[in-house]
Amino acid sequence: MMERVPLALAAALLLSLAACGGGSGGEDAAAGPSTDPAGEELTGTLTVFAAASLTDVFTELGERLEQENPGLSVQFSFAGSSALATQITQGAPADVFASANPPQMAVVADAGLAAGDPEVVTTNVLEIAVPAGNPAGVSGLADFAREDLALALCAAEVPCGAASQQVFEAAGVDAAPDTLEEDVRAALTKVELGEVDAALVYASDVAAAGDAVEGIAFPEAEDAVNDYPIAVLAGAPNPAAAEAFVELVASGAGQQALADAGFRAP
Amino acid sequence: MRRRRETGVPAPLLVPAAVAVAFLVLPLAGLLVRTPWADLPAQLAEPAVGQALRLSLVSATLATGVSLLLGVPLAWVLARSRARGRSVLRALVTVPLVLPPVVGGVALFLVLGRQGIVGRWLDEAFGVTIPFTTTAVVIAETFVAMPFLVISVEGALRAADTRFEDAAATLGADRWTTFRRVTLPLVAPGVAAGAVLCWARALGEFGATITFAGNFPGTTQTMPLAVYLELQSDPPAAIVLSVLLLAVSLGTLLLLRDRWLTRSGAAA
């Protein structure tokens, strides 16, 4: 639920890349993880750092890429965008970064760590998540001002919290949350457990949560449409596979998978 | 005489000990080097910081109090009673040590949450809900920290000389008097060490707290939670907060050590 790629795995990855002897520079290194110049086959390991909300879609797309390229292994690290941006600027060996908001992508791009301009591949809007059956009878954004309800919002420091704040300001609602969650999945977990009456999360999170959670769309959500930029990283150990993954996300199949998961086209 | 004995550290111990010191202290040094000291006064003046610090200290102290009240008797049962299934009981009691704290937080929900086994009844009968309150912070910290105290005290009880207790019993003291007047003073250093460990663990608690108690300034946002969230938006400020928490906890421990631990330690 809140799984992250453990440090040990990242270290093992580093070691295996080092053992390959190549880096992104060695075009003639046959053992290195790169494309065969003549063919399309991708090999080696592709490491994608992606916002937690992309977990399900990207896992599916990664498996698809692995099926098309039996020599390729796709590893993901799903976490909050800001945590990932910090890890990348601290030298984490990633090939692709997909952020849940432009400012965190800017952190990486401004550090000169993105190869080329980041591209917005999808968008997400906020939705009200309530436990199945909506026991508290929540109907719209105004209910977030009710003191008698147990309500969860994302903390203002993380993207979904910033978007929530924007929506409340635009709607003129004085929210009375009981907890400010550290990321969107944590907020959703509290809805799933029935411990809060409502939380403000992304439409994609509601879609991923299954039957335990119901989503309520609200018109004010249009005030905070969230862009998801993606970029191949400048120090990518496996740039060819990184390009292929970004292309797959932008392709018709990728966009369909995103739409099925509650995302909207940019 | 005493000093000479202390300086004669065998070389095979010296090198690993030095490595251990470097390993434990270097990250701390890294933190201190990166601290933007100029920001420190501004951060200290921030009301939210004082609030989080106060909440951390109060809730860790309460958690230690609860742990002492419940954990010392439990340690006695584990060390002294002849009940069957003691080893199973000990294993169960130390589960929070190996459980990832976030899982501990979810487990607490399943028992004490609004929909939990006990929590549902509390809500229906008394209208009391525990999650997202300071009480929940204390409960989460106690859950994670109490095993440290239980293990320390149990170890001290096992190491204590039971002949003193036998002597007290021979002299006519009942079991409760023996426990209060003989056993407890005998294991006081172990209880103190356990309480310090427990307090330190409670003070740094993050996973179970943010899961079960949530995060709201003033009621449930302790320092570790504030540090984590600050790290999302302003890493230098997060470092300042970490250093502040470290300074306060180290200061408290040193103060206690001078007043309390060394004296009892010398007696042991």
Side-chain angles (χ1 to χ4, degrees):
Chain A
M1 165 177 50
M2 273 179 250
E3 283 287 316
R4 286 165 193 178
V5 169
L7 211 61
L9 191 66
L13 208 66
L14 246 176
L15 283 175
S16 70
L17 288 173
C20 281
S24 49
E27 260 169 64
D28 53 354
S34 62
T35 28
D36 184 335
E40 296 293 317
E41 185 82 351
L42 300 163
T43 59
T45 300
L46 170 67
T47 308
V48 177
F49 277 28
S53 46
L54 294 168
T55 303
D56 297 335
V57 185
F58 272 26
T59 304
E60 183 191 325
L61 292 177
E63 279 165 10
R64 189 177 304 198
L65 200 64
E66 277 177 347
Q67 271 164 17
E68 288 165 7
N69 302 278
L72 184 71
S73 158
V74 185
Q75 307 271 13
F76 289 101
S77 176
F78 294 111
S81 301
S82 33
L84 293 173
T86 306
Q87 287 169 11
I88 291 168
T89 54
Q90 295 295 321
D95 294 293
V96 174
F97 177 41
S99 167
N101 66 347
Q104 294 304 330
M105 179 57 86
V107 168
V108 170
D110 292 349
L113 295 172
D117 287 330
E119 173 191 356
V120 173
V121 280
T122 194
T123 70
N124 212 345
V125 291
L126 292 171
E127 218 171 63
I128 300 168
V130 296
N134 193 3
V138 171
S139 59
L141 200 61
D143 287 316
F144 277 87
R146 281 172 61 183
E147 296 279 354
D148 59 319
L149 298 185
L151 301 163
L153 294 176
C154 293
E157 288 87 349
V158 295
C160 64
S164 304
Q165 236 175 17
Q166 217 172 317
V167 163
F168 284 123
E169 268 166 33
V173 172
D174 195 7
D178 293 275
T179 175
L180 303 168
E181 295 294 309
E182 81 274 23
D183 63 38
V184 68
R185 295 264 160 163
L188 198 65
T189 300
K190 293 192 166 68
V191 178
E192 283 173 316
L193 291 170
E195 295 298 337
V196 295
D197 297 305
L200 214 50
V201 300
Y202 288 115
S204 64
D205 298 304
V206 176
D211 295 337
V213 175
E214 287 173 20
I216 302 170
F218 57 98
E220 297 92 334
E222 299 304 323
D223 291 318
V225 177
N226 206 34
D227 288 340
Y228 278 60
I230 192 169
V232 173
L233 296 172
N238 195 349
E243 289 290 352
F245 185 79
V246 172
E247 273 167 32
L248 176 61
V249 175
S251 72
Q255 291 295 309
Q256 185 57 50
L258 283 163
D260 291 344
F263 290 91
R264 295 205 308 202
Chain B
M1 166 99 180
R2 189 153 181 213
R3 186 167 294 165
R4 196 173 306 153
R5 199 185 301 161
E6 272 173 13
T7 49
V9 184
L13 294 186
L14 199 59
V15 174
V19 171
V21 168
F23 178 68
L24 295 174
V25 172
L26 279 182
L28 181 64
L31 212 54
L32 291 178
V33 167
R34 288 287 301 276
T35 304
W37 295 105
D39 295 357
L40 195 59
Q43 283 289 340
L44 283 177
E46 197 80 38
V49 171
Q51 213 174 34
L53 191 59
R54 207 173 316 125
L55 184 66
S56 283
L57 294 173
V58 167
S59 52
T61 305
L62 285 174
T64 308
V66 174
S67 297
L68 278 169
L69 223 56
L70 305 178
V72 173
L74 174 58
W76 192 92
V77 169
L78 288 177
R80 291 290 155 82
S81 85
R82 302 242 168 78
R84 282 156 58 98
R86 250 184 325 153
S87 53
V88 175
L89 186 62
R90 184 181 303 114
L92 284 177
V93 162
T94 48
V95 158
L97 288 178
V98 288
L99 203 65
V102 174
V103 179
V106 173
L108 285 173
F109 264 139
L110 299 179
V111 177
L112 295 171
R114 252 183 359 169
Q115 307 290 327
I117 306 161
V118 178
R120 185 195 302 252
W121 172 76
L122 280 177
D123 190 12
E124 277 165 11
F126 304 102
V128 173
T129 54
I130 295 172
F132 316 122
T133 62
T134 307
T135 308
V137 176
V138 176
I139 289 173
E141 290 183 352
T142 307
F143 178 75
V144 172
M146 183 154 52
F148 287 86
L149 180 107
V150 173
I151 288 186
S152 298
V153 177
E154 195 204 340
L157 280 168
R158 285 177 177 282
D161 194 336
T162 50
R163 283 176 302 177
F164 291 112
E165 292 170 11
D166 295 342
T170 329
L171 293 172
D174 60 33
R175 288 174 163 209
W176 173 237
T177 308
T178 308
F179 173 76
R180 267 188 318 125
R181 306 289 293 274
V182 179
T183 315
L184 212 48
L186 213 53
V187 298
V191 173
V196 165
L197 260 182
C198 174
W199 185 78
R201 180 64 187 88
L203 194 68
E205 216 303 306
F206 174 78
T209 308
I210 201 163
T211 306
F212 180 58
N215 168 59
F216 198 80
T219 35
T220 59
Q221 187 181 68
T222 56
M223 281 296 271
L225 273 55
V227 168
Y228 180 81
L229 283 161
E230 204 64 70
L231 207 51
Q232 311 287 312
S233 57
D234 188 358
I239 293 178
V240 171
L241 292 188
S242 320
V243 169
L244 182 63
L245 181 61
L246 262 173
V248 171
S249 44
L250 272 180
T252 311
L253 291 180
L254 288 177
L255 204 78
L256 283 179
R257 203 184 146 74
D258 280 351
R259 296 197 126 194
W260 189 27
L261 274 184
T262 36
R263 206 187 307 152
S264 36

